[in-house]
Amino acid sequence: MEFEQIMKLVESVSASNLSSFQYESEGVKLTLECGKSQPVVISNVDMTQQQVLTPAPVVSGTPEKEPEGNLVKSPLVGTFYVAPSEDAEPFIHVGDQVKKGQILAIVEAMKLMNDIESDFDGEITEIYVKNGEAVEYGQPLFSVK
């Protein structure tokens, strides 16, 4: 089962009224439980490793008001970072002028660091996600005016 398929399944189960869901096929076992703070465990019977996904809270990182301006959204599910390392300065701050293609942040997914670039020229008017927060596909990260 591909990662994208797993994430679609997680989203579908989360949006439904199901409290739990189990899937097992070709040595892959997937168990999802909604409304619990426990991590989701995905294991492959043929492999010795387990991947543990901790679902982000539904309201985490979502704008409280309707976003204004051009939105830079997360292109994938992962962990959001404002700087290239813990001791480095953030890529940008609210009020900074940015150019299209400029790196704004990093989203770590499956131990790969993915640069998040601005799709627009303008001023950063809002940062919707805190450093280290989990983000979902399509979640607004920045507003650029």
Side-chain angles (χ1 to χ4, degrees):
M1 181 175 259
E2 296 292 321
F3 183 75
E4 289 81 19
Q5 293 172 313
I6 293 170
M7 294 315 301
K8 284 182 183 178
L9 187 58
V10 168
E11 289 173 9
S12 296
V13 171
S14 296
S16 73
N17 290 329
L18 295 174
S19 61
S20 66
F21 176 84
Q22 289 187 340
Y23 169 85
E24 191 168 345
S25 176
E26 299 175 8
V28 174
K29 183 177 181 181
L30 174 67
T31 303
L32 303 173
E33 294 185 14
C34 296
K36 305 224 178 191
S37 60
Q38 299 174 344
V40 176
V41 178
I42 302 170
S43 63
N44 186 332
V45 176
D46 298 334
M47 299 174 65
T48 58
Q49 294 181 333
Q50 287 189 342
Q51 180 179 4
V52 177
L53 302 175
T54 305
V58 176
V59 296
S60 176
T62 56
E64 293 178 10
K65 59 181 180 179
E66 187 64 32
E68 296 178 8
N70 298 309
L71 295 179
V72 176
K73 297 180 179 182
S74 179
L76 64 161
V77 175
T79 304
F80 176 85
Y81 295 107
V82 296
S85 65
E86 288 182 32
D87 56 344
E89 284 293 313
F91 289 106
I92 52 96
H93 297 90
V94 171
D96 287 354
Q97 292 292 320
V98 296
K99 299 280 184 193
K100 183 176 181 176
Q102 181 177 341
I103 297 173
L104 304 177
I106 294 173
V107 173
E108 178 186 8
M110 299 177 66
K111 298 191 181 189
L112 295 174
M113 300 300 184
N114 301 277
D115 292 340
I116 304 303
E117 298 177 353
S118 178
D119 297 327
F120 316 98
D121 290 339
E123 178 183 338
I124 298 292
T125 58
E126 193 83 41
I127 301 174
Y128 297 112
V129 184
K130 293 179 183 155
N131 191 49
E133 271 191 346
V135 294
E136 296 183 25
Y137 173 80
Q139 178 177 346
L141 302 176
F142 303 96
S143 178
V144 181
K145 279 190 176 179

